[in-house]
Amino acid sequence: TENPVVMAYNVLRGYRMPDGNIYGGGFEAADLPLDNWIAGMNACGDIYKASLEVAVTDEPMQTVAAFMEACSGQIAEVGGRVRVRVGPPGLPVAVMTDADVVESDPQSIEPFQTLDQTYNAVGATYLEPGEKWAAKTLPLRLNPAWEAEDGGRRLPVHLDLEAVTDAAQAARLTAALIADHRRQRVHVVSVSGALFHL
């Protein structure tokens, strides 16, 4: 398969090696809700593909991270189960009002990231199968408006997309990353347990 979510799922479940050891997470099938993972696999479709040579000495979660990076994916443990999300954020699944916020618990807001955490330009390296799997570098994706917002400074970041083998896919991933990064405001609150049933 070239489906990054299929590969991530299998690494999390674990591969039995000839010596009896298991490479991967060794998660039980019940820990990876199949309906959620199949939805992630389907979301990849022909848009997100991955290829990666993995050594048994590689850290399994770094391998999973490379597959997630290839599909703008995220995995998270929710209520003892590992779930996956692929691509841009989906539709809202809950509505929250001021009445749901637990006012007695601490709250914090981080309106902007610090300068060393901020970037307004992004470049990436991917692998090109047609050129003997050579690492190819995309041109830096720039945004003059963001540079102006950041005091006229160019603040670049570089991605190593080690499981991506297509220039167009790498370009889509850099565009999604930079757009997501510019949504910098983080507001942390505690909400009523009645709001979310996981």
Side-chain angles (χ1 to χ4, degrees):
T1 184
E2 291 183 308
N3 188 307
V5 175
V6 171
M7 291 185 270
Y9 177 88
N10 283 289
V11 171
L12 289 172
R13 289 281 285 128
Y15 286 97
R16 185 165 301 280
M17 308 309 292
D19 63 1
N21 288 322
I22 293 178
Y23 176 79
F27 284 91
E28 297 293 328
D31 296 333
L32 305 168
L34 202 51
D35 59 337
N36 169 256
W37 282 85
I38 288 175
M41 294 169 192
N42 291 337
C44 287
D46 290 331
I47 300 170
Y48 300 115
K49 296 181 179 182
S51 293
L52 185 64
E53 182 177 0
V54 179
V56 294
T57 55
D58 293 346
E59 176 62 40
M61 290 311 291
Q62 289 178 347
T63 301
V64 170
F67 293 139
M68 291 296 98
E69 199 170 44
C71 64
S72 284
Q74 293 179 337
I75 59 171
E77 182 190 346
V78 180
R81 294 178 160 193
V82 179
R83 296 181 176 272
V84 66
R85 183 198 58 76
V86 172
L91 296 173
V93 296
V95 176
M96 185 177 94
T97 68
D98 288 346
D100 297 307
V101 176
V102 180
E103 294 179 23
S104 59
D105 284 356
Q107 298 183 28
S108 69
I109 186 166
E110 185 181 330
F112 304 103
Q113 295 179 359
T114 61
L115 189 60
D116 64 328
Q117 297 172 316
T118 301
Y119 50 88
N120 52 37
V122 62
T125 302
Y126 71 99
L127 299 178
E128 182 56 66
E131 297 182 27
K132 299 182 181 178
W133 299 89
K136 303 291 281 187
T137 302
L138 292 177
L140 203 60
R141 181 178 292 274
L142 305 173
N143 188 310
W146 292 340
E147 287 184 28
E149 285 177 15
D150 295 334
R153 291 175 289 236
R154 179 168 295 166
L155 305 169
V157 68
H158 187 84
L159 299 178
D160 182 12
L161 301 171
E162 61 180 323
V164 176
T165 59
D166 178 70
Q169 179 178 339
R172 284 194 308 273
L173 291 168
T174 58
L177 174 80
I178 194 78
D180 185 57
H181 177 72
R182 295 307 289 192
R183 300 182 198 93
Q184 295 187 7
R185 184 167 304 181
V186 177
H187 195 176
V188 179
V189 298
S190 296
V191 296
S192 155
L195 181 62
F196 296 105
H197 301 282
L198 301 174

